[in-house]
Amino acid sequence: MEIQEKKILVTGANGGIGTALVKALLDKGAAKVYAAARSTEAVAGRVSGGAGRVVAVRLDITDEDSVAAAAEQCGDSDLVINNAGVNRCVGLLAPDGMAAARREMAVNFFGTLAVCRAFAPMMAARGSGVIANVCSIIGMVNLPVNGTYCASKAAVHSLIQGLRAELAPKGVRVVGIYPGPVDTRMTAGQEMPKATPEQVAAAIVAGLEGDAEEIFPDPMSQEVHQGLLKDPKQVEREFAQMIPAAATEGPAKSGGGSGKV
Ligand SMILES: NC(=O)c1ccc[n+]([C@@H]2O[C@H](COP(=O)([O-])OP(=O)(O)OC[C@H]3O[C@@H](n4cnc5c(N)ncnc54)[C@H](OP(=O)(O)O)[C@@H]3O)[C@@H](O)[C@H]2O)c1
């Protein structure tokens, strides 16, 4: 799809990848970018310089009224990028694993689904549009230290596949985006190779422009994806080694652990 002259909604626009996406889309000539965040003040400071093409939108994707209001305000979007997400960085058996799983499912799966359900009918009525959901490469294979997050992103991967099938006959395309580690708030304090949000945003925009159905926007995600195509059980076994005892036995963590993707 052409980004030039398009109207585009980006959720989680005050985050690392979200902010970089807003800038990359403006650089490509988007007519309007709806930069959505739970706090519009947080967006305003980051999107100045959009020369009147950036509209700050208040959106909490877990709040039905908020999603409905955003759909009303941004109903002319040609492209919706569901980027908002959370990672509590715990294992499935961690002390706070249930609470983490519920929150991650609430935001990553149910929130994304709610936004898709709000915008899909308007795109279907027009017979065109693109919905692009930011999943994760660890939505395709579980990294146990982030076990609950991976399960929520696996649900997003399934959502992408199902929605793609439902919307294809209506002329609406659904794109899956599967990053590896990116240097944002979500991976703060972790020592591992990470792509920059700007690199990832540029690769996402290039993938959208090339009509890719799935986008692996960084070297790590590309390598893991190739491994999954070749031998998924081998990748699962390798990821299973990355499970520090703290993931299941340690005290509750609110972030900053290892292995967040
Ligand atoms: N960083 C990585 O390594 C990595 C890798 C693969 C995939 N991803 C995915 O990439 C996306 C962007 O993450 P990021 O790395 O840029 O992290 P980030 O800086 O933490 O950004 C996450 C964004 O999601 C927003 N958000 C959280 N809950 C929300 C809700 N209920 N309603 C609306 N917005 C909400 C946050 O807003 P607040 O400021 O209000 O919390 C923030 O803007 C996420 O879906 C993440 O899972 C990240």
Side-chain angles (χ1 to χ4, degrees), residues 15-38:
I17 297 173
T19 301
L21 274 171
V22 171
K23 174 140 195 349
L25 293 164
L26 291 171
D27 289 349
K28 286 284 180 181
K32 192 190 286 185
V33 179
Y34 295 113
R38 292 192 288 186

Side-chain angles (χ1 to χ4, degrees), residues 61 67 82 105-121 131 133 155-156 159-160 162-163 166:
I61 63 170
V67 172
N82 280 304
M105 286 299 285
V107 177
N108 300 345
F109 176 68
F110 287 108
T112 299
L113 176 61
V115 176
C116 291
R117 287 175 58 89
F119 282 82
I131 295 175
N133 292 340
V156 173
L159 180 165
I160 289 165
L163 200 64
E166 284 197 53

Side-chain angles (χ1 to χ4, degrees), residues 11-19 36-39 42 46 59-63 82-87 103 106-108 134-138 149 153 177-187 192 194 197 260-261:
T11 71
N14 62 315
I17 297 173
T19 301
R38 292 192 288 186
S39 159
R46 296 187 183 213
L59 174 58
D60 179 339
I61 63 170
T62 63
D63 177 336
N82 280 304
N83 165 73
V86 290
N87 183 355
R103 185 62 190 163
V107 177
N108 300 345
V134 180
C135 186
S136 171
I137 193 63
I138 56 174
Y149 170 79
K153 288 292 188 175
I177 300 166
Y178 302 88
V182 187
D183 193 9
T184 69
R185 207 173 8 154
M186 199 174 270
T187 57
M192 61 179 167
K194 300 175 208 172
K260 292 187 281 185
V261 180

